[in-house]
């Protein structure tokens, strides 16, 4: 990482972001969101779940092609840990997760707090918290809540927002960032 960077985003990564946005005419592309060319010729996801104790480190995309088995592995990893239900995670969300990780220039895996949520789990969480959307993109496999020990919520959120590929929510009091492949928007503090 660039020693002059106080945001946690390296100068090289930011230049890559700006170069990618200059080439990209629309905020989303087929099979890749926005400037996710920043994810590289090889896209990789590294996560662990404190809920299940599972760890994953997998390459899911090489030279323009998703690896179906790896995407299925990610989807199973990101299942609703409360009931074991899984859906195919939207590859656009996986791309945002990977691109954000690359922009942050870290080797530390994300801690996954929530990926897919079944309607039953979402309803239970909604009954206990005002911060859970009735039609949450988590229920469609299009969102994830993530944390990194080595980066602040603001650093992670800025990197995710730089992708201009979906929603980014800052949950500083709970120490995580929400990323989704829905409309480009930001919220929280």
């Amino acid at each position: 990482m660039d020693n002059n960077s106080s945001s946690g985003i390296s100068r090289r990564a930011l230049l890559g972001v700006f170069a990618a946005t200059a080439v990209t005419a629309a905020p989303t592309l087929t099979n890749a969101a926005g400037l996710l060319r920043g994810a590289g010729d090889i896209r990789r996801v590294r996560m662990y779940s404190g809920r299940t104790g599972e760890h994953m480190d997998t390459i899911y995309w090489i030279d323009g092609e998703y690896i179906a088995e790896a995407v299925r592995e990610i989807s199973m990893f990101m299942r609703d840990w409360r009931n074991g239900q899984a859906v195919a995670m939207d590859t656009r969300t996986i791309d945002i997760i990977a691109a954000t990780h690359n922009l942050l220039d870290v080797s530390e895996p994300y801690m996954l707090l929530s990926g897919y949520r079944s309607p039953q789990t979402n309803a239970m969480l909604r009954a206990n918290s005002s911060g859970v959307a009735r039609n949450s993109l988590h229920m469609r496999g299009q969102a994830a809540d993530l944390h990194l020990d080595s980066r602040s919520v603001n650093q992670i959120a800025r990197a995710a927002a730089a992708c201009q590929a979906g929603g980014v929510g800052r949950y500083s009091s709970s120490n995580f960032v929400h990323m989704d492949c829905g409309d480009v928007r930001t919220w929280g503090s």
Side-chain angles (χ1 to χ4, degrees):
M1 183 159 84
D2 184 345
N3 292 332
N4 296 325
S5 175
S6 62
S7 69
I9 301 172
S10 72
R11 184 173 293 148
R12 185 182 69 212
L14 281 175
L15 290 174
V17 168
F18 292 121
T21 56
V23 174
T24 305
T28 58
L29 301 171
T30 304
N31 291 332
L35 58 93
L36 295 174
R37 293 177 185 170
D41 292 330
I42 294 175
R43 297 182 190 170
R44 178 181 189 179
V45 173
R46 286 171 280 200
M47 291 186 276
Y48 73 94
S49 170
R51 307 288 189 185
T52 66
E54 296 170 312
H55 293 259
M56 76 168 320
D57 183 345
T58 189
I59 293 170
Y60 70 93
W61 189 90
I62 299 175
D63 292 329
E65 297 291 326
Y66 290 99
I67 302 167
E69 183 177 326
V71 172
R72 281 191 298 276
E73 177 186 346
I74 293 167
S75 295
M76 184 53 73
F77 181 87
M78 295 180 76
R79 71 190 176 276
D80 184 331
W81 61 269
R82 289 173 176 85
N83 60 23
Q85 292 177 11
V87 299
M89 291 299 294
D90 194 309
T91 54
R92 296 174 300 170
T93 297
I94 299 169
D95 287 338
I96 294 165
I97 291 168
T100 300
H101 201 260
N102 280 350
L103 289 173
L104 291 167
D105 195 24
V106 295
S107 59
E108 170 193 354
Y110 283 114
M111 179 173 71
L112 175 69
L113 299 166
S114 182
Y116 169 68
R117 280 190 213 140
S118 67
Q120 299 83 1
T121 293
N122 200 72
M124 180 270 299
L125 292 172
R126 187 167 161 71
N128 294 311
S129 172
S130 62
V132 178
R134 178 185 314 271
N135 295 314
S136 172
L137 293 177
H138 285 279
M139 294 189 299
R140 297 185 209 157
Q142 295 181 327
D145 297 335
L146 302 159
H147 166 81
L148 288 168
D149 284 336
S150 65
R151 297 294 184 264
S152 71
V153 166
N154 285 335
Q155 289 171 321
I156 299 166
R158 279 195 305 266
C163 295
Q164 288 291 300
V168 178
R170 293 177 183 182
Y171 293 88
S172 296
S173 63
S174 299
N175 202 19
F176 73 87
V177 174
H178 169 98
M179 299 177 203
D180 68 52
C181 64
D183 293 337
V184 175
R185 67 214 185 285
T186 60
W187 66 91
S189 59

